Amino acid sequence: AQTVTQSQPEMSVQEAETVTLSCTYDTSESDYYLFWYKQPPSRQMILVIRQEAYKQQNATENRFSVNFQKAAKSFSLKISDSQLGDAAMYFCAYRLYNNNDMRFGAGTRLTVKP
Amino acid sequence: GAGVSQSPRYKVAKRGQDVALRCDPISGHVSLFWYQQALGQGPEFLTYFQNEAQLDKSGLPSDRFFAERPEGSVSTLKIQRTQQEDSAVYLCASSLGGWLGRNTGELFFGEGSRLTVL
């Protein structure tokens, strides 16, 4: 079974600073996708960033970037120049290429201090 | 519509009552998913539709849970004889593609329906 672990239930960052959210996953497969989703208090999940396991280059989306370590099964999210609007729950998710079952971690609540 | 719409946003049910939760996906989206999100947890997969066909219902926790999408657009998740452990937020998501393979688009989520069973 594939599991996703987020070991940081809560994180806090000062506005304009950088924060890294951790995620590890367990799988014996080699072809899969990894995602970070953001869930603001309104509860609508929004995709932040996506990484294909077969790509060695780490994905980046503006202030968001990942550190994908396939051998270590680690997929951390770095948020640079944190903004108040970044405050939310962040979920790491995993999905096999040929499976619709997307597995989510328990989430990390990010607080941004002004 | 512009996004995935779910109703009701909040539902309080007495134990033993039946409830129905509606999801209106983005127009033209082939795939539709239901997830259950308990308090403080990540979403858990319940079921998946491709158009009107329910291709995967392996995540439904019991036979009290039933989902349908008869015309390949709007979907309803029905929970019969609700129990307290059914209390959760039920999230619906849709995706343009018919199969989440290498050509996948992202999942678009609704705001969820919060069910509280007393």
Side-chain angles (χ1 to χ4, degrees):
Chain A
Q2 295 83 30
T3 60
V4 179
T5 302
Q6 294 179 248
S7 59
Q8 306 154 315
E10 296 184 358
M11 290 285 285
S12 179
V13 64
Q14 204 70 33
E15 192 176 7
E17 297 294 310
T18 295
V19 64
T20 299
L21 308 184
S22 301
C23 174
T24 58
Y25 57 95
D26 182 24
T27 184
S28 57
E29 303 291 335
S30 61
D31 200 2
Y32 51 87
Y33 294 94
L34 295 164
F35 306 83
W36 278 99
Y37 276 88
K38 171 184 177 181
Q39 190 177 42
S42 69
R43 304 203 72 83
Q44 190 166 26
M45 302 265 280
I46 305 168
L47 178 67
V48 175
I49 199 165
R50 170 175 54 213
Q51 174 83 40
E52 290 93 336
Y54 65 88
K55 290 186 177 178
Q56 293 185 341
Q57 186 173 5
N58 288 326
T60 61
E61 287 288 341
N62 300 315
R63 297 183 295 106
F64 299 87
S65 62
V66 299
N67 183 4
F68 174 46
Q69 302 289 329
K70 191 171 185 179
K73 299 178 184 177
S74 171
F75 182 61
S76 61
L77 173 70
K78 185 171 80 171
I79 306 174
S80 304
D81 185 25
S82 296
Q83 300 176 1
L84 295 178
D86 295 334
M89 285 289 289
Y90 285 82
F91 291 97
C92 177
Y94 161 101
R95 182 179 68 76
L96 287 174
Y97 156 63
N98 60 352
N99 192 307
N100 290 304
D101 184 359
M102 185 175 287
R103 298 294 180 107
F104 289 83
T108 296
R109 181 177 302 279
L110 178 66
T111 302
V112 181
K113 298 179 179 179
Chain B
V4 178
S5 178
Q6 292 188 245
S7 61
R9 289 291 311 279
Y10 303 92
K11 176 69 178 178
V12 178
K14 293 183 179 179
R15 187 159 56 97
Q17 282 185 331
D18 297 348
V19 299
L21 308 176
R22 175 188 169 105
C23 173
D24 200 341
I26 294 173
S27 178
H29 277 198
V30 172
S31 297
L32 186 145
F33 302 79
W34 283 99
Y35 286 85
Q36 181 188 59
Q37 187 176 19
L39 187 64
Q41 299 295 317
E44 296 278 349
F45 171 81
L46 293 177
T47 186
Y48 161 68
F49 289 86
Q50 182 172 322
N51 295 310
E52 69 279 2
Q54 188 175 21
L55 299 186
D56 187 347
K57 54 181 181 179
S58 62
L60 296 177
S62 77
D63 58 8
R64 296 186 296 104
F65 286 72
F66 172 77
E68 61 182 3
R69 194 187 184 197
E71 297 179 355
S73 56
V74 172
S75 176
T76 303
L77 176 66
K78 297 179 180 178
I79 309 173
Q80 297 176 326
R81 303 180 305 280
T82 53
Q83 301 178 5
Q84 285 188 323
E85 59 263 31
D86 299 335
S87 295
V89 175
Y90 291 86
L91 297 173
C92 177
S94 70
S95 178
L96 181 61
W99 181 258
L100 293 185
R102 292 201 185 281
N103 295 322
T104 181
E106 66 185 270
L107 287 184
F108 293 84
F109 284 84
E111 294 184 355
S113 293
R114 179 183 294 277
L115 173 64
T116 302
V117 181
L118 303 178

